[in-house]
Amino acid sequence: VTNPTVRAGGRPRLFTPGPVEIPERVLRALAQAPPHHRTGEFRAALLRVTAELKALHGTAGEVFVLAASGTGAMEAAVVNLMGPGDHALAVAGGSFGTRWVRLLEAYGVPCATVAVEWGRPLPSAELARRLDAEPRARTVFATQCETSTGTLYDIEGFARVTRERGIRLVVDAITGVAVHPLPQDAWGVDAVVCGSQKGLMIPPGLATLSLAPWATDAIDGVRLPRFYFDLRKYRKGLPTGDTAFTPAVSLVLALEESLAMIREEGLGAVHARHARVARAARAGAVAAGFSSFSSSPSHAVTALLPPGGVDAGAVVQRMRDVHGMVVAGGQDQLQGRLVRVGHMGAYTVGDMEDVSGALAECAAALGAARIEPGAAAAAARAAGQD
Ligand SMILES: *Cc1c(COP(=O)(O)O)cnc(C)c1O
């Protein structure tokens, strides 16, 4: 059995936690000849994109668009918000929370770590307790959706804890934005970082950092060494659409298109669709014999443990070779244990029916009890209803 798409030399479908499938409209925007960036045409596009990003984040503050992968925006947050002698506290319950810790260590920032069991959420009361025990930590670094485990954290609760104590909260929402709500100003989140190849549905290469209105002056003063990511340089051009360095022009134009798609669907409807798609993914996979790894599953990525005796790496391989679907394995300590299905961006319940049926076929082919692919697909469809 070889997937007809693969047999015909077709392109495999991406169901990874980034990069994601790029919608046709965005592909067309990418095909434009890029204008020079020092032109009225590009400045106007950047101004429109910046305004749309502020609406998307729910902030009246400032949004900076960087030519970098998501980690670049994480680094920008560290070097612009932390000064010599400042202490941090990082929530680490997976590979990306741990990335905050490594980044802070690389810059010599003293950092207390809240080590959360991978796949479990962190109650905000526990964050409060840790902060009260670490009075020198004045900035918290957290993750909205821990992509390595498919776990959603309670950012609204975290922000309540930090606001109450006058502590800054920096959130990696790279797989949260345009998937789960994160109204920055309303919740009281000082800084949010995002990347382009996840819920924003464009290719890799852009990252954003947004500052809430009360946090814009946090980047002034003596901070860690910074040059390319010195946000004060980017700020100068914000009112006119000018940039300090050559921007990723084509990706900015693609982002304008994807933000228009999100606006047209409606942000609430986008969040609701991701909830349905994630429910369908979980139910379909469970019907196929898999189990959900996270006890607080996100709507961005579903992390699955294969049925007993079935090798996760073999499932990933067979999904690609036989079904033409690219899913991800586990990262770091979960390598070889997990199958991760990404569904942020332009995905539907129908896509999850396909994935669920394929997972059922793979599990049976790799030694698990046979479950009809059609039954797994039906379970996905049923769970994905409104
Ligand atoms: C993808 C991702 C990142 C950034 O990764 P890059 O490869 O640098 O784009 C950071 N945090 C989370 C939670 C992610 O999912």
Side-chain angles (χ1 to χ4, degrees), residues 90-94 96-99 101 113-118 141 143 146 153:
V91 177
F96 292 100
T98 304
R99 187 166 297 181
V101 178
T113 303
V114 186
V116 186
E117 190 186 338
W118 289 33
F141 291 85
T143 314
E146 176 50 77
Y153 292 102

Side-chain angles (χ1 to χ4, degrees), residues 150-165:
T151 301
L152 179 72
Y153 292 102
D154 174 19
I155 297 304
E156 187 177 16
F158 290 6
R160 221 176 284 124
V161 165
T162 51
R163 291 303 283 167
E164 197 160 85
R165 288 164 178 74

Side-chain angles (χ1 to χ4, degrees), residues 17-352:
V20 300
E21 285 288 324
I22 313 295
E24 273 301 318
R25 270 176 73 172
V26 175
L27 288 174
R28 277 197 299 275
L30 280 163
Q32 299 168 81
H36 193 276
H37 58 290
R38 309 273 180 226
T39 56
E41 183 189 353
F42 181 74
R43 285 189 194 98
L46 187 57
L47 286 173
R48 288 193 299 270
V49 164
T50 307
E52 287 272 10
L53 284 170
K54 285 170 70 169
L56 178 70
H57 282 292
T59 186
E62 292 176 334
V63 184
F64 302 94
V65 179
L66 311 171
S69 87
T71 308
M74 295 171 73
E75 183 151 345
V78 168
V79 299
N80 285 281
L81 295 169
M82 304 304 285
D86 287 347
H87 288 240
L89 183 136
V91 177
S95 305
F96 292 100
T98 304
R99 187 166 297 181
W100 278 131
V101 178
R102 299 278 171 271
L103 235 167
L104 290 157
E105 280 173 359
Y107 280 96
V109 177
C111 175
T113 303
V114 186
V116 186
E117 190 186 338
W118 289 33
R120 301 280 167 273
L122 174 70
S124 53
E126 178 60 19
L127 178 66
R129 204 186 58 71
R130 282 302 303 272
L131 275 173
D132 293 341
E134 303 280 350
R136 287 180 303 179
R138 306 304 299 165
T139 309
V140 169
F141 291 85
T143 314
Q144 185 178 26
C145 167
E146 176 50 77
T147 315
S148 63
T149 65
T151 301
L152 179 72
Y153 292 102
D154 174 19
I155 297 304
E156 187 177 16
F158 290 6
R160 221 176 284 124
V161 165
T162 51
R163 291 303 283 167
E164 197 160 85
R165 288 164 178 74
I167 287 171
R168 255 183 232 303
L169 176 61
V170 181
V171 175
D172 166 359
I174 292 174
T175 48
V177 170
V179 176
H180 287 277
L182 203 178
Q184 183 172 2
D185 293 359
W187 283 5
V189 180
D190 297 82
V192 174
V193 302
C194 189
S196 57
Q197 77 274 29
K198 314 277 176 105
L200 296 179
M201 306 180 286
I202 73 168
L206 277 192
T208 65
L209 189 153
S210 67
L211 294 174
W214 63 84
T216 54
D217 61 0
I219 68 171
D220 299 324
V222 181
R223 294 291 177 263
L224 295 173
R226 47 183 168 162
F227 186 84
Y228 180 68
F229 288 132
D230 186 343
L231 296 179
R232 294 170 304 180
K233 295 189 173 90
Y234 294 76
R235 170 176 283 161
K236 284 203 188 92
L238 278 185
T240 53
D242 280 298
T243 57
F245 311 111
T246 310
V249 173
S250 296
L251 293 175
V252 170
L253 300 181
L255 183 56
E256 183 174 13
E257 196 65 29
S258 73
L259 291 171
M261 289 176 68
I262 292 169
R263 173 169 30 79
E264 288 163 20
E265 186 175 349
L267 189 55
V270 168
H271 293 154
R273 174 170 53 79
H274 280 84
R276 284 196 304 278
V277 168
R279 273 203 314 270
R282 281 197 301 279
V286 166
F290 291 70
S291 50
S292 175
F293 176 73
S294 177
S295 61
S296 170
S298 85
H299 299 164
V301 47
T302 296
L304 298 165
L305 293 163
V310 173
D311 178 65
V315 173
V316 173
Q317 182 86 43
R318 189 174 176 87
M319 284 292 281
R320 186 189 186 107
D321 294 347
V322 175
H323 298 281
M325 297 177 185
V326 185
V327 297
Q331 289 171 283
D332 298 328
Q333 68 192 56
L334 294 172
Q335 212 170 350
R337 288 189 54 208
L338 290 187
V339 175
R340 291 178 304 143
V341 178
H343 34 69
M344 58 199 128
Y347 294 91
T348 62
V349 169
D351 291 325
M352 296 306 114

